[in-house]
Amino acid sequence: MDKPEVALDNCDEVYDFYLRHQQNRLAAKAAYGLLALKFRPRVTYADGAKEQVRALVRSDARLVLAVNHLSHSDPYTVAAAASASALRPAIGRTRVLAKDELFLEPKRRERVDLMGGIPVFRGKNHGMRAVNAAGQRMMDVCAERMRRGDDLAIFPEGTCNEEDPTRLQKIGSGIGHIMSRAVRLGVRPVLVYMGISYGPLPGKVARASVYLDNPVTEIPEKPADIARLVAAGLQRAVDGAVARY
């Protein structure tokens, strides 16, 4: 399957490709494991959350992992934490939303594709009007991938938090729209909140504190209500990660 150039004016072909693309699961597990050895995240859980996540993965529930966004290294931290946590069996069938710039350089794209990346064309880079159609298609692809059996990982803040790493930025409605569309396709998504803290030293990403809060199975119908639910739950996870750094 030929890889199309990841460019906004080529977005239909791009999303046709990522609707079908499947990484090598064994290679993905190995890559995630190497990242766990390199970054060595310290994963902790809310009371009962580890058992709940493990049971959900075992039951083949569709998970939406919501993660706060602090650094360009976050995808590697998330991959490392997944390998070192109850999420490990989901590696190789989890799609990760990633900014389109990460797909431009061929070697980096290979790594992002191996991690299950789906490109996102952001309004801050291309203009809101220009990315509207691509954004709608991206959300449809994510919902369909979930219907086909994939989980999803999202940084719902949309951009790195360069102000206060202990407080979430505004949560966009995108995660709500994706989950709402998945529900319309017959999926019953479960929210899992992952909070990350790198502590007080800027640039230090090894040994991050990663906290998994209790999964949420009751999801509101409206995208805006889902976004508000995510904002509250993900802040709890961030608080947990900060407290355990």
Side-chain angles (χ1 to χ4, degrees):
M1 184 166 36
D2 292 335
K3 292 184 177 183
E5 178 188 2
V6 175
L8 182 58
D9 59 5
N10 193 39
C11 66
D12 285 337
E13 189 177 350
V14 168
Y15 287 122
D16 285 345
F17 175 83
Y18 284 101
L19 180 62
R20 305 185 306 272
H21 175 260
Q22 181 63 55
Q23 77 268 50
N24 183 302
R25 290 195 69 186
L26 290 178
K29 286 181 181 291
Y32 277 51
L34 288 173
L35 289 169
L37 290 174
K38 178 179 180 179
F39 288 95
R40 296 174 296 134
R42 294 167 290 138
V43 181
T44 56
Y45 303 82
D47 289 344
K50 184 175 184 178
E51 294 75 17
Q52 292 171 29
V53 172
R54 183 174 289 154
L56 287 165
V57 172
R58 192 182 302 125
S59 70
D60 199 31
R62 293 283 65 77
L63 307 182
V64 176
L65 182 67
V67 190
N68 63 310
H69 200 2
L70 301 176
S71 162
H72 297 299
S73 296
D74 290 345
Y76 304 113
T77 299
V78 172
S83 184
S85 73
L87 293 166
R88 190 173 189 277
I91 295 172
R93 58 172 181 80
T94 300
R95 305 299 104 198
V96 183
L97 296 188
K99 59 186 179 181
D100 62 298
E101 302 101 288
L102 297 178
F103 295 81
L104 300 182
E105 196 277 318
K107 288 187 177 180
R108 176 181 281 182
R109 181 174 181 179
E110 286 182 13
R111 294 194 295 269
V112 177
D113 282 345
L114 182 62
M115 295 177 70
I118 292 179
V120 179
F121 298 98
R122 300 186 300 174
K124 64 179 288 185
N125 296 337
H126 303 282
M128 292 305 297
R129 286 188 177 182
V131 302
N132 181 62
Q136 296 297 321
R137 185 73 197 283
M138 178 272 293
M139 291 187 283
D140 285 340
V141 167
C142 290
E144 176 61 20
R145 293 293 312 227
M146 292 183 70
R147 188 191 70 80
R148 296 183 184 186
D150 287 338
D151 297 327
L152 191 64
I154 302 178
F155 298 97
E157 292 168 285
T159 189
C160 290
N161 185 344
E162 298 178 347
E163 297 297 327
D164 182 354
T166 70
R167 304 302 304 175
L168 282 179
Q169 302 170 102
K170 182 180 179 180
I171 299 297
S173 62
I175 188 171
H177 285 287
I178 291 171
M179 294 183 71
S180 179
R181 292 178 194 209
V183 169
R184 290 200 295 270
L185 294 178
V187 178
R188 298 189 63 184
V190 178
L191 270 168
V192 179
Y193 303 121
M194 176 183 283
I196 297 173
S197 174
Y198 296 118
L201 298 178
K204 184 179 183 297
V205 296
R207 301 292 292 160
S209 171
V210 178
Y211 181 84
L212 287 166
D213 201 26
N214 299 102
V216 178
T217 57
E218 297 297 323
I219 306 300
E221 292 183 6
K222 296 180 179 180
D225 292 337
I226 296 173
R228 281 191 286 269
L229 178 70
V230 170
L234 187 50
Q235 184 63 60
R236 287 197 306 272
V238 171
D239 292 344
V242 171
R244 289 160 179 79
Y245 185 80

